[in-house]
Amino acid sequence: MPSTSVVSRVTNWATSQRNLTIFVSIFAAFPLSYAFQSIVSESASAGSFLLLVTLAVGVPTAYDEYWPQYDQTWKAIGWILLACAVVTIEFIGLYIVGTEYLDLTPLYASAGAFLVTDLGNLAWLSFRQRT
């Protein structure tokens, strides 16, 4: 039977703001990337993976590195959910522009959407942090 100190440490670790934001972004990433693949087409599997990476890794990294920490965890979780929605809209918009207007293959449109969304948002947050 585990001691209460181990249970307490695991509970504190699992409920820390940083880890909760990571968990929430991962749980949001799965249905959003699945919906992207279902809506766009089956040939966009690279796009759904890159959207998954952007949401599950890029969003919590942006919060941890470039955004001031909130005092209340529910505000941080709200920030993560809003950021996931914004990033998903950006990614899908850039993907559609790439495939429909620039006549790129789904792979190249996905890679471009990933780079512009992920790097563009990090650059904006970095600029915002400096000013």
Side-chain angles (χ1 to χ4, degrees):
M1 178 151 191
S3 68
T4 56
S5 65
V6 173
V7 172
S8 175
R9 282 188 291 172
V10 170
T11 302
N12 289 339
W13 172 83
T15 58
S16 70
Q17 187 180 99
R18 181 175 189 272
N19 289 332
L20 282 175
T21 57
I22 293 169
F23 298 149
V24 167
S25 64
I26 290 169
F27 289 133
F30 281 112
L32 289 171
S33 64
Y34 179 75
F36 169 77
Q37 185 172 358
S38 298
I39 292 169
V40 174
S41 73
E42 292 298 320
S43 66
S45 60
S48 64
F49 174 74
L50 291 174
L51 179 60
L52 180 78
V53 170
T54 303
L55 294 172
V57 177
V59 171
T61 300
Y63 177 74
D64 285 341
E65 300 289 328
Y66 299 104
W67 199 263
Q69 300 293 308
Y70 287 110
D71 295 337
Q72 298 170 327
T73 302
W74 68 270
K75 288 182 180 179
I77 291 172
W79 189 95
I80 291 293
L81 291 173
L82 182 63
C84 283
V86 168
V87 165
T88 302
I89 292 168
E90 289 174 344
F91 188 92
I92 291 172
L94 290 167
Y95 177 84
I96 290 171
V97 166
T99 55
E100 298 296 321
Y101 298 108
L102 300 177
D103 291 327
L104 297 174
T105 64
L107 177 64
Y108 290 133
S110 300
F114 169 74
L115 290 173
V116 171
T117 300
D118 204 33
L119 296 178
N121 287 336
L122 290 179
W124 178 79
L125 287 170
S126 177
F127 176 76
R128 182 191 167 280
Q129 187 180 40
R130 291 180 188 199
T131 58

